[in-house]
Amino acid sequence: MNESLVHSYQKNKKRYPRTESESKEMEMGSNNKKIFSSKKEDLFHVIHKVPAGDGPYVRAKHAQLVQKDPEAAIVLFWKAINAGDRVDSALKDMAVVMKQLDRSEEAIEAIKSFRGLCSKQSQESLDNVLIDLYKKCGKVEEQIEMLKRKLRLIYQGEAFNGKPTKTARSHGKKFQVSVRQETSRLLGNLAWAYMQKTNFMAAEVVYQKAQMIDPDANKACNLGLCLIKRTRYNEARSVLEDVLYGRIPGCEDGRTRKRAEELLLELESKQPPPDLSDLLGLNLEDEFVNGLEEMVRVWAPSRSKRLPIFEEISSFRDRIAC
C-alpha cells in the first residue's frame, strides 16, 4: 500500500466498517466514561452532603453547603416550602441557617407558622430546633415549657414514635439514643434553664433526677454548681469529687475534670453557709412531678427508694406560690 493510499485510509478511517473488537472497545470506553462521571457526581454529593436532584431544596442545600451563601439558601428554602419540596427538611434547615445569621426570632415564627405542613415524624426534630432557638434568644420560659412538653411525651409513651431508641446525629456521625438517655439529657437541659432563672432549688431537684436515670460527669458538675449556689458545700464537694476520682461516666473528658477542679476551688473560697433554706421559686406541676417519679420507679427503683428526690418538693408545695 503506497503512501497516498495509507493517507487516504487514515483520513477516512471512520467511514470504513469497524471490526467487532473495535466496536466493543469503543462501547466499553463510552460506558467507562459514564461510570466515571456518575461516580464523580456521587462523590461530590457525599463530600458536600448535598442531595441529588434539581429542585429548590437541592439548590438551597447547594447554596448553603457549596456556595456558602446563607442568604441565598434561605430564599431557596422558602421556595422549597412553598413548592412542597421536602418541606420537613427545608423548614428545619432554614431555621438552622437563620439561627447562624442571628435571625432566631424569625426562625421561631417560621417553625410555628409552617410546622403544620410537616409530617408527624418530623415534629420531634422541629421541637429540638425550637429549644435551641429559644436558648439563643434567651427565652427561658418558652424553653422550659418545651422541655416539659417533651418529657411529658416520654412518660406518656409517645416519644420516639413509640420506639425504644432513635437515630441521632452529632458532628456528622450517627448514633443510637435510648429513651433513658434522652430523658436524662432533657432533664439536664431543663435544670440548666432553671439555673438561668436562679431557681436553684428546682434545678437541684431536676439534676438529681437526671443523674438517677443516666448519670454523667457534665451534669454532675452542673449539680455541684447548683449546690454551691444553695450553699450546700459538703454535698457539692462530694459530687465534684466523684468527677475527679472517676466515679461517674464521662470523667475521662479533660475539660469536665478541669471544670470540676475550678468549682472545687470556688467552693473552698466560700464562707460557711448561713442557716437558711432556699425555698423560693420552685414551680413544678403535680402532674409533671408524678410523671417523672414514675419513670424513676421503672428505671432506677432501688435508687429511687434511697433518694426520693421529689419528697422535698411535696413538703414545700403548699407554701410555695406557683
Side-chain angles (χ1 to χ4, degrees), residues 88-124:
D88 294 8
S89 298
L91 182 57
K92 183 176 68 173
D93 291 345
M94 182 179 72
V96 170
V97 175
M98 285 178 170
K99 177 187 172 186
Q100 293 168 350
L101 294 177
D102 290 326
R103 293 166 60 181
S104 297
E105 295 275 4
E106 187 180 345
I108 290 170
E109 292 306 314
I111 291 178
K112 287 182 175 180
S113 299
F114 294 95
R115 68 183 305 168
L117 301 175
C118 300
S119 66
K120 182 180 178 182
Q121 290 73 22
S122 68
Q123 299 302 317
E124 187 175 338

Side-chain angles (χ1 to χ4, degrees), residues 248-264:
I248 303 175
C251 295
E252 64 279 358
D253 183 77
R255 290 173 299 180
T256 304
R257 292 176 65 86
K258 183 179 179 181
R259 184 167 179 237
E261 290 171 355
E262 290 171 350
L263 287 170
L264 278 170

Side-chain angles (χ1 to χ4, degrees), residues 249-312:
C251 295
E252 64 279 358
D253 183 77
R255 290 173 299 180
T256 304
R257 292 176 65 86
K258 183 179 179 181
R259 184 167 179 237
E261 290 171 355
E262 290 171 350
L263 287 170
L264 278 170
L265 287 175
E266 179 183 342
L267 187 154
E268 296 301 330
S269 68
K270 298 292 181 182
Q271 296 296 319
D275 189 19
L276 295 172
S277 296
D278 176 11
L279 305 180
L280 300 177
L282 185 61
N283 184 12
L284 294 172
E285 303 94 327
D286 289 350
E287 179 193 358
F288 181 69
V289 170
N290 294 335
L292 292 178
E293 195 64 40
E294 181 60 30
M295 283 193 295
V296 173
R297 288 194 192 99
V298 174
W299 288 336
S302 59
R303 301 185 72 174
S304 181
K305 290 175 183 177
R306 292 199 303 271
L307 185 61
I309 297 301
F310 286 117
E311 186 176 300
E312 182 179 9

